[in-house]
């Protein structure tokens, strides 16, 4: 389908009737149907179409609310105290208020991805035309848009075909946001259902964004061995002019590459990036360099290495202009969503803008034209580089000690630190020229700068930490496999059976931001653990960078140790935030390509399949943003559990199952129609872990599904038990709930498991052909 | 700093805030009065010492004397096992806390619901949010924290204390129970 298939453009026409000049006529909404799969029951679902499915999930996974605030302050009735059973002036209860805030958060996240998708789609259509084919992987990817097919029931062939998909996303998000108005929804579970709906819309928007940029901008197209890109502060040649791009929307950054290439300066300038723009930039130009995740913003800018800073949208520090001014680096803002108070110079001649920057007449400018950004940023970097002399704002080591002497140990820095790091003690130690304490903080520091804001002596504490850790920053020379985008259909065919039968123990996706409790290395450790155990490991966004920021004994990153194929033991970097759609898309494609379940507008059946059979788990170890919330919600609706780090409790609620309540785990056996016990798998839908060790054990457990064959369950149990023995100690206390038949018991652990089962009065149960949907029962009888 | 400021400056609580445990007797009275106490221990305890001994030993002594079942999060289990103390369960902190909000849940042993939950050693903000959940949704469970910083969402909390004062308090709680 194409929204605007017929366009007529007339430059000038004279007739008896009238004289027309520059006349454009567009006829919208012409259906061009080339997909013979019958339409399923839920194309373009409304807010309530999938409510019954959501209710099924929510009846198992009850929300555990942890209010971040006891009050509601969203309207002028308030503030209202909602403590315990108190109600607000509008009648709202605390559970409803918490789920309302969760919905708001998810709406912000989904709106951000959808808006990003709209920008990318508009840009690519303007540049390459509405008829530019959707092509995420040539003939290797025939199911080109699994989420779009599933949710909307359309098969997009061109960029123009993606427009109605975004129209739908925008329509739904408007309605979802309206739900949060005072005096609308009042039931927490209905709010939660709408959170799930928002998540589904979010994944749809992300799919459109990545499809458009992969199709039009020449990114790797489902390539398992996409090129490796440099990653880390130590990889950057500071002797050259350096441009830093930050954010998520790649066209301005890509235009910098284009300009440099066209003017034979590609080797003369370092184009470096932070956050997802850098991930997408390396998909466009693998020689671009990734500095690190979002937490690297302050430390890199203050180093003085960037000569020009270009920001687009999302997750950019809002004080970037101030920081840029400190190092005398011009700042170019490129998004209407992030103007930073700068003068709009979009329509000024490039020569004039360059001159204004070089002469220091302006410190920043808003330029809403990617091509002009490319030219201005490149020319300014080349012109300013010799003058700036990499003017940084980091103190020298001697200066650190001098500054540290002002510390009064008031502890305000530590009390402001999200990770409760011993900042004050480290600063005090530095006063005696011992920088080891500050150096040790570097790895665990989130780079938020709250310590500085809190310091009564106005010490630049973050700079002290980074300066003390100079050797560590120099040694940051890693690499990352550039985002490959979609998973090939043939890869799905190869692994579909082993995944559904449980022989590949699971798919683990490390996604999201860098709000880690103990630094990036924990992500690398977890990725390595599960890849070695032959899980399929996916990465995206800042987590993909963190995964690469560690080396093994042989000096290799995970991207050099493991293949990039979607296979057992592969480490598959799909790309940026919006590339997360390929991970949920892969789960959907297993149902569609491997199991041949009808995809078109058939959400409930596919989600039921994924939930009961595809052992996928999302891990957002440093989840921080609202986008991370909406990404998680999209996985929940597909029945894919998500584990977050300890900061994840600030999302205000968990979705937890109760393994001890047998009635919660009944499924239909599709063969007989009987309601049978399917076991507490996956046990939770959203859970925060306190440590990486706890997370790893949880991940292994949450990869189990009722459909696992005995061979598959034995494999999953072997991993679960082994991880538990290694990181927790002893055999897990709930193995008896996860063993259904003697054949489920891992052979190497038979004696221990037999003894455990005997202790728990274990009884054998059957392995169902599981479904939560009575309509999926093959037999006529439904218990 | 004021004793009842949240340790993390921005974690502004309220209106309902924890009462202070200013001396060991208060904690002892709460523990003695409780019919069914439970203790939830996070990995942070391994960082602290009381009188030159790991804090975990103080907690084990407390659990033994007051007969309090201990639930540990994953990483902490080994610390208990190596001291020949078997925790009652290994569960994530959010999971055990969620169970405590269920008035029909009869505890790990299936006998009757808990009425006092003692928390210690979780990351500050994680404990803050979990205790908020219990404050709102577990009206029959009093909560108490044994950390050295003020946790406003508990029913009872130590004030922000020096490690020395805090250690003395914990030691006092255990000794009083002996008496």
């Amino acid at each position: 389908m194409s929204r605007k298939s017929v366009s007529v453009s007339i430059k000038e026409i004279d007739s008896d009737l009238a004289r027309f000049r520059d006349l454009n006529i567009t006829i919208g909404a012409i259906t061009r149907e080339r997909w013979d799969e019958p339409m399923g029951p839920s194309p373009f679902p409304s807010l309530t179409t999938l409510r019954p499915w959501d209710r099924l999930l929510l009846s198992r996974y009850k929300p555990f609310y942890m209010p971040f605030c006891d009050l509601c302050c969203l309207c002028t009735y308030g503030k209202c105290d909602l403590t315990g059973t108190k109600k607000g002036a509008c009648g709202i209860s605390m559970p409803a208020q918490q789920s309302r805030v969760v919905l708001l958060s998810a709406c912000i996240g989904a709106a951000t991805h959808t808006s990003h998708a709209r920008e990318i789609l508009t840009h690519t259509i303007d540049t390459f035309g509405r008829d530019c084919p959707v092509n995420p992987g040539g003939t290797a990817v025939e199911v080109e848009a699994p989420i779009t097919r599933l949710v909307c029931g359309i098969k997009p062939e061109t960029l123009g075909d993606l427009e109605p998909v975004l129209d739908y996303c925008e329509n739904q998000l408007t309605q979802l946001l309206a739900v949060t108005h005072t005096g609308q929804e009042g039931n927490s579970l209905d709010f939660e259902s709408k959170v799930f709906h928002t998540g589904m819309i979010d994944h749809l928007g992300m799919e459109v964004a990545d499809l458009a940029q992969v199709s039009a901008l020449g990114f790797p197209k489902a390539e398992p061995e996409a090129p490796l890109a440099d990653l880390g502060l130590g990889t950057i040649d500071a002797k050259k002019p350096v441009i830093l791009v930050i954010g998520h929307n790649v066209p301005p950054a890509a235009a910098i590459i284009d300009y440099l290439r066209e003017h034979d300066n590609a080797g003369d300038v370092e184009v470096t990036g932070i956050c997802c723009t850098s991930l997408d930039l390396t998909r466009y130009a693998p020689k671009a360099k990734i500095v690190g995740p979002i937490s690297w913003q302050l430390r890199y800018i203050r180093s003085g290495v960037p000569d020009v800073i270009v920001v687009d949208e999302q997750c950019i520090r809002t004080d970037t202009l101030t920081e840029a001014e400190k190092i005398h680096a011009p700042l170019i803002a490129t998004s209407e969503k992030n103007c930073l108070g700068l003068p709009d110079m979009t329509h000024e001649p490039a020569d004039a803008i360059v001159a204004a920057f070089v002469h220091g007449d302006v410190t920043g400018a808003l330029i809403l034209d990617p091509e002009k950004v490319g030219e201005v940023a490149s020319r300014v970097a080349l012109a300013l580089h010799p003058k700036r002399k990499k003017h940084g704002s980091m103190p020298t080591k001697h200066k650190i000690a001098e500054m540290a002497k002002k510390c009064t140990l008031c502890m305000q820095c530590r009390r402001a630190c999200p990770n409760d790091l011993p900042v004050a003690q480290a600063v005090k130690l530095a006063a005696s020229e011992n920088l080891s304490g500050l150096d040790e903080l570097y790895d665990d520091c989130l780079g938020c700068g709250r310590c500085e804001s809190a310091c009564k002596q106005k010490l630049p504490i973050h700079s002290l930490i980074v300066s003390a850790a100079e050797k560590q920053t120099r040694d940051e020379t890693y690499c990352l496999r550039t985002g490959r985008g979609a998973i090939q259909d043939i890869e799905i065919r190869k692994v579909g059976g082993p995944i559904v039968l449980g022989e590949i123990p699971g798919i683990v996706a490390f996604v999201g931001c860098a709000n880690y409790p103990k630094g990036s290395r924990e992500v690398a450790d977890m990725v390595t653990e599960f890849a070695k155990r032959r899980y399929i490991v996916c990465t995206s966004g800042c987590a993909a960078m963190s995964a690469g920021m560690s080396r093994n004994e042989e000096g290799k990153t995970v991207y050099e140790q493991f293949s990039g194929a979607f296979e057992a033991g592969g480490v598959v970097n799909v790309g940026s935030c919006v590339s997360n759609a390929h991970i949920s898309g892969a789960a959907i494609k297993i149902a569609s390509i491997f199991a041949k379940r009808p995809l078109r507008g058939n959400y409930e059946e596919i989600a039921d399949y994924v939930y009961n059979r595809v052992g996928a788990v999302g891990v957002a170890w440093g989840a921080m943003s609202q986008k991370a919330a909406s990404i998680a919600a999209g996985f929940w609706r597909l029945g894919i559990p998500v584990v977050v780090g300890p900061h994840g409790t600030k999302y205000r609620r968990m979705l937890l199952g109760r393994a001890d309540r047998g009635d919660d785990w009944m499924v239909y056996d599709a063969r007989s129609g009987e309601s049978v016990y399917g076991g507490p798998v996956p046990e939770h839908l959203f859970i925060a872990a306190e440590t990486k060790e706890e997370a790893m054990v949880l991940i292994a457990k949450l990869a189990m599904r009722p459909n696992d064959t005995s061979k598959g369950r034995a494999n999953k149990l072997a991993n679960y038990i082994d991880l538990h023995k290694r990181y927790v100690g002893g055999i897990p206390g709930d193995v008896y709930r996860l063993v259904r038949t003697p054949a489920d018991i891992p052979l190497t652990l038979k004696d221990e498991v037999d003894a455990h089962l005997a202790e728990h009065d274990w009884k054998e149960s059957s392995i169902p052909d599981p479904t939560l949907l009575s309509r999926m029962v093959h037999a006529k009888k439904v218990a | 700093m004021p004793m009842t400021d949240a340790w993390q400056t921005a974690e502004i609580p309220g209106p309902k805030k924890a009462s202070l445990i200013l001396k060991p007797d208060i904690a002892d009275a709460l523990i003695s009065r409780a019919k069914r106490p439970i203790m939830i221990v996070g990995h942070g305890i391994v960082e602290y010492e009381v009188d030159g001994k790991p804090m975990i030993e103080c907690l084990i002594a407390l659990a033994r004397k007051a007969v309090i079942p201990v639930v540990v999060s994953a990483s902490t289990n080994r610390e208990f096992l190596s001291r020949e103390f078997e925790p009652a369960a290994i569960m994530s902190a959010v999971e055990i806390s969620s169970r405590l909000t269920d008035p029909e849940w009869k505890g790990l042993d299936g006998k009757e619901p808990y009425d006092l939950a003692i928390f210690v050693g979780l990351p500050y903000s994680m404990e803050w949010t979990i205790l908020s959940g219990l404050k709102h949704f577990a009206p029959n469970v009093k909560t108490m924290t044994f950390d050295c910083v003020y946790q406003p969402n508990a029913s009872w909390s130590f004030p922000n204390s020096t490690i020395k004062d805090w250690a003395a308090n914990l030691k006092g709680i255990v000794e009083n129970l002996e008496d």
Side-chain angles (χ1 to χ4, degrees):
Chain A
M1 192 175 89
S2 178
R3 188 176 64 161
K4 293 169 183 171
S5 286
V6 179
S7 292
V8 178
S9 184
I10 298 167
K11 194 74 187 162
E12 190 169 342
I13 188 169
D14 272 320
S15 73
D16 294 341
L17 190 64
R19 183 179 182 200
F20 298 99
R21 292 181 69 182
D22 292 328
L23 177 68
N24 290 300
I25 301 169
T26 299
I27 301 168
I30 287 186
T31 301
R32 183 179 58 206
E33 193 57 78
R34 291 185 199 160
W35 189 20
D36 55 8
E37 184 172 319
M39 184 62 84
S42 59
F44 293 103
S46 76
L47 267 57
T48 54
T49 308
L50 297 168
R51 185 173 179 250
W53 169 249
D54 299 335
R55 288 281 180 154
L56 280 174
L57 290 177
L58 290 164
S59 67
R60 282 189 170 188
Y61 305 103
K62 304 272 192 319
F64 170 43
Y65 294 111
M66 298 168 289
F68 212 33
C69 175
D70 298 345
L71 312 174
C72 174
C73 50
L74 285 177
C75 80
T76 64
Y77 278 141
K79 302 176 179 177
C80 290
D81 175 11
L82 304 180
T83 306
T85 54
K86 290 180 183 171
K87 288 181 181 176
C90 67
I92 202 161
S93 65
M94 185 55 104
Q97 173 66 6
Q98 292 310 302
S99 50
R100 181 186 183 199
V101 178
V102 174
L103 176 58
L104 263 175
S105 182
C107 280
I108 293 170
T112 306
H113 281 142
T114 301
S115 154
H116 177 191
R118 181 62 81 183
E119 294 222 13
I120 288 279
L121 188 61
T122 303
H123 174 78
T124 50
I125 284 177
D126 286 349
T127 311
F128 301 95
R130 190 165 272 111
D131 292 332
C132 174
V134 166
N135 176 14
T139 53
V141 182
E142 287 183 7
V143 181
E144 72 304 302
I147 305 173
T148 300
R149 288 190 186 200
L150 177 66
V151 176
C152 302
I154 65 171
K155 179 181 179 304
E157 293 178 2
T158 65
L159 295 183
D161 290 347
L162 296 171
E163 289 187 306
V165 180
L166 281 190
D167 292 347
Y168 165 70
C169 291
E170 288 158 354
N171 171 294
Q172 292 299 289
L173 287 172
T174 304
Q175 296 188 50
L176 286 160
L177 188 58
V179 169
T180 65
H181 191 273
T182 300
Q184 291 275 49
E185 194 61 82
N187 178 278
S188 64
L189 291 185
D190 269 319
F191 272 121
E192 297 291 355
S193 168
K194 290 169 173 88
V195 171
F196 286 13
H197 192 66
T198 311
M200 183 192 73
I201 297 297
D202 183 58
H203 282 238
L204 193 56
M206 290 194 294
E207 182 173 84
V208 169
D210 215 44
L211 275 180
Q213 60 184 8
V214 169
S215 300
L217 300 182
F219 289 6
K221 295 187 190 303
E223 292 171 26
E225 300 304 323
L228 293 170
D230 284 338
L231 164 66
L233 287 165
T235 65
I236 297 155
D237 184 353
K239 292 186 187 116
K240 292 181 181 175
V242 175
I243 300 172
L244 165 63
V245 295
I246 315 175
H248 288 73
N249 191 32
V250 78
I256 293 169
I257 298 287
D258 291 345
Y259 183 87
L260 291 170
R261 281 176 181 163
E262 284 161 17
H263 293 78
D264 293 329
N265 288 124
D268 303 335
V269 177
E270 290 275 77
V271 184
T272 66
I274 289 176
C275 214
C276 283
T277 291
S278 69
L279 284 170
D280 283 341
L281 189 60
T282 56
R283 297 165 90 185
Y284 187 72
K287 287 194 175 167
K289 290 176 179 171
I290 300 171
V291 176
I294 54 175
S295 39
W296 261 250
Q297 290 181 68
L298 277 186
R299 61 186 67 166
Y300 183 48
I301 294 174
R302 288 182 183 182
S303 73
V305 170
D307 293 298
V308 175
I309 301 171
V310 177
V311 296
D312 50 82
E313 58 172 278
Q314 305 165 46
C315 303
I316 301 155
R317 284 191 67 93
T318 52
D319 58 357
T320 304
L321 179 61
T322 313
E323 293 292 333
E325 285 172 347
K326 283 182 197 166
I327 64 161
H328 306 160
L331 178 79
I332 302 173
T334 64
S335 168
E336 286 184 322
K337 282 167 272 183
N338 182 24
C339 299
L340 296 170
L342 295 169
D344 187 351
M345 300 179 86
T346 307
H347 302 294
E348 303 281 330
D351 288 349
I353 309 173
V354 171
F357 275 135
V358 173
H359 297 144
D361 300 337
V362 291
T363 56
L366 176 67
I367 306 177
L368 299 172
D369 173 351
E371 271 187 45
K372 193 169 281 181
V373 171
E375 177 179 354
V376 171
S378 304
R379 289 176 56 191
V380 171
L382 285 160
L384 270 187
H385 170 64
K387 294 184 181 178
R388 275 192 67 252
K389 300 188 185 339
K390 300 298 180 190
H391 178 89
S393 62
M394 293 287 191
T396 61
K397 293 205 171 165
H398 176 68
K399 189 85 176 160
I400 294 175
E402 200 178 297
M403 289 172 147
K405 285 183 181 136
K406 293 182 187 166
C407 173
T408 61
L409 272 181
C410 71
M411 306 299 281
Q412 292 299 316
C413 51
R414 180 164 187 169
R415 293 182 62 205
C417 176
N419 279 339
D420 199 15
L421 297 176
V423 184
Q425 293 87 337
V427 173
K428 202 65 194 168
L429 190 62
S432 58
E433 305 214 356
N434 180 345
L435 304 186
S436 61
L438 289 171
D439 186 22
E440 282 169 24
L441 296 180
Y442 177 79
D443 232 17
D444 293 353
C445 173
L446 297 171
C448 69
R450 274 178 16 187
C451 49
E452 293 184 0
S453 295
C455 180
K456 292 176 178 174
Q457 301 299 321
K458 303 205 180 305
L459 297 178
I461 298 172
H462 183 63
S463 294
L464 303 188
I465 294 169
V466 178
S467 194
E470 188 196 354
K471 183 177 180 316
Q472 288 196 62
T473 61
R474 268 203 318 270
D475 289 346
E476 285 179 9
T477 53
Y478 307 108
C479 70
L480 164 149
R481 190 169 301 286
T482 49
R484 57 169 284 175
I487 309 304
Q488 295 179 4
D489 295 1
I490 192 163
E491 290 175 293
I492 297 289
R493 282 190 194 98
K494 279 185 189 164
V495 300
I499 288 172
V500 169
L501 302 175
E503 290 153 10
I504 290 176
I507 305 167
V508 188
F510 291 89
V511 308
C513 334
N515 191 15
Y516 305 123
K518 286 188 189 299
S520 286
R521 64 189 179 280
E522 292 198 325
V523 174
D525 291 347
M526 288 191 275
V527 166
T528 305
E529 180 78 56
F530 284 96
K532 280 185 176 171
R533 288 176 179 277
R534 311 282 293 161
Y535 286 71
I536 299 173
V537 179
C538 295
T539 64
S540 69
C542 283
M545 301 179 201
S546 301
M549 296 184 86
S550 187
R551 293 186 180 277
N552 69 357
E553 318 78 59
E554 293 170 12
K556 290 183 176 175
T557 69
V558 292
Y559 297 108
E560 295 161 296
Q561 291 173 63
F562 304 101
S563 96
F566 194 77
E567 62 185 9
V571 175
V572 186
N573 178 23
V574 290
S576 59
C577 284
V578 291
S579 311
N580 278 308
H582 302 301
I583 302 175
S584 47
I588 293 165
K589 280 165 71 157
I590 289 170
S592 163
I593 295 171
F594 164 71
K596 303 198 185 312
R597 295 290 182 107
L599 191 55
R600 190 173 192 181
N602 193 27
Y603 192 94
E604 205 176 50
E605 180 182 339
I606 294 291
D608 181 64
Y609 184 93
V610 171
Y611 173 66
N612 282 297
R613 292 159 206 272
V614 179
V617 183
V619 184
W621 193 237
M624 170 279 293
S625 68
Q626 297 86 9
K627 291 192 301 162
S630 57
I631 292 168
F635 283 119
W636 299 331
R637 197 175 226 186
L638 276 173
I640 296 175
V642 176
V643 177
V644 286
H647 288 298
T649 57
K650 296 175 205 168
Y651 283 119
R652 298 171 174 83
R653 72 103 169 76
M654 303 280 108
L655 295 168
L656 303 172
R658 286 283 297 269
D660 60 320
R661 289 204 296 225
D663 290 348
D664 285 2
W665 305 99
M666 303 304 280
V667 295
Y668 291 112
D669 185 340
R671 288 181 293 259
S672 66
E674 288 178 7
S675 181
V676 296
Y677 180 64
V681 288
E683 188 174 337
H684 307 294
L685 209 49
F686 187 45
I687 184 164
E690 189 190 335
T691 60
K692 81 168 182 198
E693 291 79 12
E694 184 177 31
M696 287 194 282
V697 174
L698 266 171
I699 292 163
K701 181 159 77 165
L702 295 177
M704 294 184 208
R705 293 294 181 274
N707 185 66
D708 295 338
T709 60
S710 282
K711 189 178 168 192
R713 181 59 62 89
N715 186 13
K716 293 183 180 187
L717 275 170
N719 281 290
Y720 172 49
I721 295 170
D722 187 56
L723 281 163
H724 195 276
K725 287 169 88 169
R726 184 179 299 186
Y727 293 116
V728 181
I731 188 168
D734 59 355
V735 167
Y736 70 97
R737 288 194 171 118
L738 303 168
V739 173
R740 301 154 304 175
T741 75
D744 287 354
I745 301 169
L747 276 178
T748 52
L749 299 163
K750 190 166 186 321
D751 292 346
E752 283 172 88
V753 173
D754 279 346
H756 166 90
L757 296 180
E759 276 173 34
H760 289 88
D761 196 21
W762 173 82
K763 288 187 180 55
E764 186 171 352
S765 59
S766 61
I767 301 173
D769 179 5
T771 174
L772 299 187
L773 305 171
S774 59
R775 68 183 170 84
M776 297 310 299
V777 170
H778 307 318
K780 284 183 182 171
K781 176 188 162 196
V782 176
Chain B
M1 87 196 68
M3 291 191 294
T4 54
D5 275 2
W7 170 246
Q8 288 209 323
T9 319
E11 309 286 15
I12 305 294
K16 190 178 174 186
K17 291 170 65 175
S19 303
L20 283 178
I21 306 171
L22 288 171
K23 50 186 181 177
D25 299 2
I26 298 173
D28 283 319
L30 290 164
I31 292 169
S32 303
R33 211 181 302 155
K35 287 182 191 162
R36 289 269 288 167
I38 187 169
M39 185 151 50
I40 293 121
V41 181
H43 77 292
I45 53 157
V46 298
E47 292 173 18
Y48 294 107
E49 291 189 342
V50 176
D51 263 4
K53 290 182 184 171
M55 183 192 169
I56 195 167
E57 292 181 9
C58 183
L59 296 178
I60 289 172
L62 178 71
R64 284 195 168 127
K65 283 169 194 160
V67 196
I68 302 176
V70 174
V71 174
V72 297
S73 58
S75 322
T76 322
N77 187 45
R78 277 191 196 284
E79 298 289 332
F80 281 93
L81 293 179
S82 66
R83 291 171 174 84
E84 296 181 349
F85 181 92
E86 187 151 352
I90 303 160
M91 288 171 88
S92 73
V94 290
E95 191 181 1
I96 181 67
S97 303
S98 172
R99 295 268 178 106
L100 290 170
T101 64
D102 176 2
E104 291 175 12
W105 186 55
K106 297 198 182 304
L108 296 163
D109 55 8
K111 290 179 178 168
E112 59 180 318
Y114 299 106
D115 57 355
L116 175 68
I118 302 165
F119 284 80
V120 60
L122 291 167
Y124 186 82
S125 59
M126 189 180 197
E127 194 165 299
W128 195 102
T129 45
I130 285 173
L131 286 166
S132 173
L134 293 173
K135 176 169 88 175
H136 291 281
F137 302 113
N140 300 321
V141 182
K142 298 283 181 212
T143 57
M144 182 160 61
T145 64
F146 277 175
D147 298 300
C148 61
V149 290
Y150 183 62
Q151 273 290 2
N153 287 320
S155 311
W156 293 86
S157 166
F158 280 116
N160 295 313
S161 319
T162 62
I163 299 290
K164 193 177 161 194
D165 290 348
W166 172 60
N169 270 327
L170 280 180
K171 202 175 152 200
I173 292 170
V174 180
E175 282 171 358
N176 288 357
L177 279 171
E178 268 182 329
D179 300 338

